[in-house]
Amino acid sequence: MRRPHIRTVAVAVAVATAATGLAGTAFAGPSEEVERTSASAATNAAAVVEAANTAAFAHASATGVSKGDALHAQDVMIDPEGARHVRFVRTHNDMPVLGGDLVVHLDRTLAYTGVTRAADHAVKPAAAKAELTADQAAAKAAKAAKGDAGSAQLVVDARSGASALAYQVTVTGQDSSRTVVVDAVTGKVRSNTPDRDEFLSPKLLDTLRERGETADPATGIESGSAASGLTGSGLSGVTHYPTSARGTGKTLFVGNVSLTTTATSRGHYQLKDPSRYGTETRDAKGSYTEKFSAGAKLTNTTNVWGNNKTTSRVSAAADAQYGITKTLDFYKSTFKRKGIANNSKPAQAMVHWGKKVANAFWDPTCNCMLYGDGDGQMFKKPLVVLDVTGHELTHGVVEATANLQPTIVDSEGNQYGEPGSLNESLADIFGSNVEFYAKNTKDTPDYLVGEKLGLAQKFLRRLDHPSLDKLEGTIDYWKPDTYYTEVHAGSGVSSHAYYLLAEGSGKKKIGTVTYNSPTYHNLTVKGIGRTKATAIYYRALTRYMVSTTDFHQARIATLKAAKDLYGANSTEYKTVNRSWAAVNVTAANTPQARH
């Protein structure tokens, strides 16, 4: 679930090193100095931010900024062809603006070339003064979310049609937290959103219960032999601790895998990877904590983690640590992205979270992954499979970039709306790419999502023919009422467009899976390959998507990305356009703005 919050103000510098391919963008951490990888890239980030900020106010009719607004840079991206992009969040009279984000685009000379904006209207609220007190708003939020309310903060809610003065309140329950936005004039609850992103939606879980279906995936697949010991140092007595060590994870789902761990002293190890920013997995021991520091450190004396079975609490941790490190490696190797938030900070996880929790989450409160063990009835194993991890950590990437938000959240926590559907789709797209990157023979890469969960239909979702998913009712094509579709079901539109861009329409066998991708009006599409398709979607996400991007705007974003990477007359650009037409997303059927 997506939290409608204003991110911490920081400048993340990006410098591109190549014009095409998956290594087309290289990112540095949150610094105001550009990583100088080439003479042409040696542009001071602070100067780019200043130029973009000035341009935003100089072109106010296009950017929508006005008196009282202040822009706060989140990312600076410098492309090899010379374009610069600055992602901003906004405050109005010092109040955070929900849905006020925008990306200002500049050329090599720092001249303004355009804007991508979330709010298509001025963010100044109609009412300048709150009628409710902060305590009254907190009480309303606590009642709506059925928990304990924190302090209420005045914000401007610009997420739908018109701007309103509102209070934002975090409400905490026993096992979750929600962000509630209360109208400061009328007292109406404008939104009530779970802060965590759940892999399995409440709607899906209800469907499985109604069907009496259970998921008991196979585990205990062994491969290879255990390999442990210090890397390059031996046990000569001259080792300086802590240091990197080579261990073995005996996982539930992907066999025996190599893990880089930390030797804390001679013969003592911790499940923490110093080569990947200190990425670590801990044991929540059945608690509902959202503080990673409260999780129990995982240590042992053999540097072998788990036993391929649930009889060891550490087996699930080995799956989690493996999945997280492979996801980090995918993003770094493919896009030079340094960590989930591109800030060279560790990714973290807690297994055995909660009691009988049939889900896995990306939790922005602790900036970590939380894995339940299953409820023992419907889901009988921990949800630590590889593409679940890739999917959920990608929600963290989306949060750190476009921060796509659902437009509607019902009382059960189900999300609706195209930006939320696009978020789920990108998580499926890049989660599948993590599998292709990992090349694990025990979890062969494919365009299926959740195929190792043990569901009766053999997968949860699939990118080539989304409507084969009968559990969530995933759709193949866009239509006007997609705006009101549950986000996992709606994700099929852009996932299908991506698959068609990568692999094309019709029947095809890749690895062990046979695909047969249909198209709207039987339009034939010839794919450009997964490498180029993934490069286009990542650039679109990081440069041209904002919190309110819908499918038609995603089409424009991917076209701009294809133009950047391959040119406006390229086959790649034309195929992007054709792939969206093949899922019924065209310029001609773009809907009018909804208010």
Side-chain angles (χ1 to χ4, degrees):
M1 305 298 173
R2 313 312 309 150
R3 170 188 289 186
H5 71 301
I6 293 293
R7 284 174 266 146
T8 302
V9 175
V11 176
V13 176
V15 179
T17 57
T20 59
L22 282 180
T25 52
F27 290 81
S31 166
E32 294 194 0
E33 290 297 322
V34 173
E35 184 179 55
R36 298 173 185 267
T37 55
S38 68
S40 63
T43 300
N44 185 274
V48 177
V49 171
E50 183 179 0
N53 188 82
T54 300
F57 284 90
H59 297 84
S61 61
T63 62
V65 298
S66 60
K67 184 178 179 181
D69 288 355
L71 302 180
H72 308 279
Q74 300 294 292
D75 292 285
V76 179
M77 293 156 280
I78 300 174
D79 297 336
E81 66 275 13
R84 282 87 167 105
H85 315 265
V86 182
R87 185 179 295 277
F88 292 106
V89 293
R90 182 177 355 194
T91 56
H92 181 78
N93 292 339
D94 297 324
M95 294 180 291
V97 179
L98 308 181
D101 51 303
L102 65 157
V103 183
V104 176
H105 310 291
L106 309 172
D107 66 12
R108 186 185 297 273
T109 67
L110 304 186
Y112 173 83
T113 59
V115 66
T116 305
R117 52 189 279 202
D120 60 358
H121 54 275
V123 303
K124 182 179 178 180
K129 184 178 179 181
E131 296 294 331
L132 272 69
T133 66
D135 287 344
Q136 288 172 327
K140 285 183 177 291
K143 182 178 180 180
K146 300 178 181 178
D148 298 323
S151 58
Q153 178 187 18
L154 272 175
V155 299
V156 177
D157 188 358
R159 292 175 295 173
S160 58
S163 298
L165 190 65
Y167 286 101
Q168 181 172 279
V169 187
T170 298
V171 180
T172 305
Q174 177 189 353
D175 61 351
S176 65
S177 63
R178 300 175 76 94
T179 296
V180 182
V181 178
V182 178
D183 194 292
V185 176
T186 67
K188 177 183 176 182
V189 174
R190 298 177 64 86
S191 63
N192 179 2
T193 309
D195 290 337
R196 290 195 300 265
D197 183 279
E198 300 175 330
F199 183 71
L200 305 174
S201 70
K203 189 175 181 180
L204 171 64
L205 293 172
D206 286 343
T207 299
L208 290 169
R209 290 188 191 99
E210 290 169 3
R211 294 186 176 197
E213 185 172 332
T214 61
D216 190 10
T219 57
I221 303 170
E222 299 182 20
S223 65
S225 58
S228 61
L230 300 180
T231 301
S233 61
L235 299 175
S236 64
V238 298
T239 300
H240 299 284
Y241 298 101
T243 188
S244 294
R246 188 177 67 252
T248 296
K250 292 196 167 188
T251 71
L252 297 174
F253 296 109
V254 289
N256 295 346
V257 297
S258 177
L259 295 175
T260 300
T261 63
T262 298
T264 55
S265 63
R266 187 179 180 90
H268 293 86
Y269 307 94
Q270 183 178 346
L271 194 56
K272 182 176 182 178
D273 188 338
S275 68
R276 295 175 176 88
Y277 323 113
T279 287
E280 182 181 359
T281 299
R282 292 187 177 186
D283 188 343
K285 293 195 170 181
S287 74
Y288 294 94
T289 182
E290 292 182 277
K291 292 183 179 180
F292 182 73
S293 60
K297 295 179 182 179
L298 292 169
T299 61
N300 73 16
T301 57
T302 66
N303 213 5
V304 176
W305 307 86
N307 64 357
N308 304 117
K309 302 174 184 178
T310 56
T311 53
S312 169
R313 294 181 66 82
V314 186
S315 298
D319 280 276
Q321 185 77 355
Y322 173 79
I324 292 168
T325 55
K326 287 301 178 184
T327 302
L328 291 175
D329 289 353
F330 161 72
Y331 276 107
K332 186 175 182 181
S333 174
T334 309
F335 307 118
K336 305 258 186 308
R337 188 174 185 87
K338 298 180 179 179
I340 298 306
N342 196 32
N343 57 6
S344 299
K345 290 186 178 181
Q348 298 170 326
M350 286 190 283
V351 293
H352 309 302
W353 187 84
K355 293 178 172 39
K356 296 186 176 181
V357 174
N359 227 320
F361 315 85
W362 164 253
D363 188 334
T365 299
C366 72
N367 286 309
C368 65
M369 283 292 303
L370 304 175
Y371 297 93
D373 284 333
D375 57 6
Q377 297 178 345
M378 188 165 58
F379 280 88
K380 299 187 178 183
K381 299 286 170 58
L383 277 77
V384 289
V385 299
L386 180 59
D387 59 3
V388 170
T389 296
H391 172 106
E392 288 300 318
L393 286 178
T394 296
H395 280 310
V397 173
V398 173
E399 181 186 46
T401 54
N403 199 27
L404 291 155
Q405 299 285 337
T407 52
I408 303 167
V409 182
D410 69 17
S411 60
E412 300 300 318
N414 294 296
Q415 302 177 10
Y416 300 84
E418 292 184 20
S421 293
L422 183 59
N423 192 340
E424 292 299 331
S425 170
L426 291 167
D428 282 351
I429 288 167
F430 290 112
S432 295
N433 270 274
V434 170
E435 277 191 2
F436 280 102
Y437 175 83
K439 298 179 182 177
N440 187 292
T441 58
K442 304 301 179 183
D443 190 355
T444 53
D446 50 46
Y447 290 103
L448 311 179
V449 178
E451 71 277 8
K452 291 184 76 71
L453 290 176
L455 295 167
Q457 72 178 18
K458 306 301 183 184
F459 55 86
L460 179 56
R461 290 182 294 277
R462 58 187 300 156
L463 280 61
D464 67 313
H465 194 166
S467 65
L468 292 179
D469 164 28
K470 305 303 181 184
L471 287 171
E472 294 177 304
T474 307
I475 58 177
D476 292 326
Y477 312 118
W478 181 86
K479 54 186 177 180
D481 65 1
T482 299
Y483 181 81
Y484 303 102
T485 302
E486 193 274 330
V487 294
H488 297 85
S491 70
V493 174
S494 46
S495 292
H496 193 191
Y498 167 84
Y499 175 86
L500 290 167
L501 177 64
E503 303 291 351
S505 57
K507 193 170 184 179
K508 187 172 190 177
K509 187 170 184 179
I510 304 170
T512 59
V513 179
T514 299
Y515 304 93
N516 194 356
S517 192
T519 60
Y520 196 75
H521 286 168
N522 297 315
L523 187 68
T524 301
V525 181
K526 183 178 180 181
I528 62 172
R530 182 174 49 81
T531 297
K532 290 181 178 180
T534 305
I536 289 168
Y537 270 66
Y538 181 79
R539 178 169 286 226
L541 166 65
T542 54
R543 269 75 166 167
Y544 299 114
M545 292 183 186
V546 289
S547 61
T548 59
T549 298
D550 61 21
F551 289 132
H552 285 78
Q553 292 161 341
R555 169 185 170 272
I556 294 170
T558 51
L559 284 169
K560 288 180 177 179
K563 179 182 177 182
D564 289 348
L565 292 170
Y566 307 110
N569 295 318
S570 65
T571 297
E572 292 83 357
Y573 182 93
K574 294 173 183 176
T575 308
V576 168
N577 193 45
R578 195 170 180 85
S579 68
W580 282 107
V583 297
N584 197 33
V585 175
T586 66
N589 66 11
T590 302
Q592 296 295 314
R594 297 178 178 90
H595 298 291

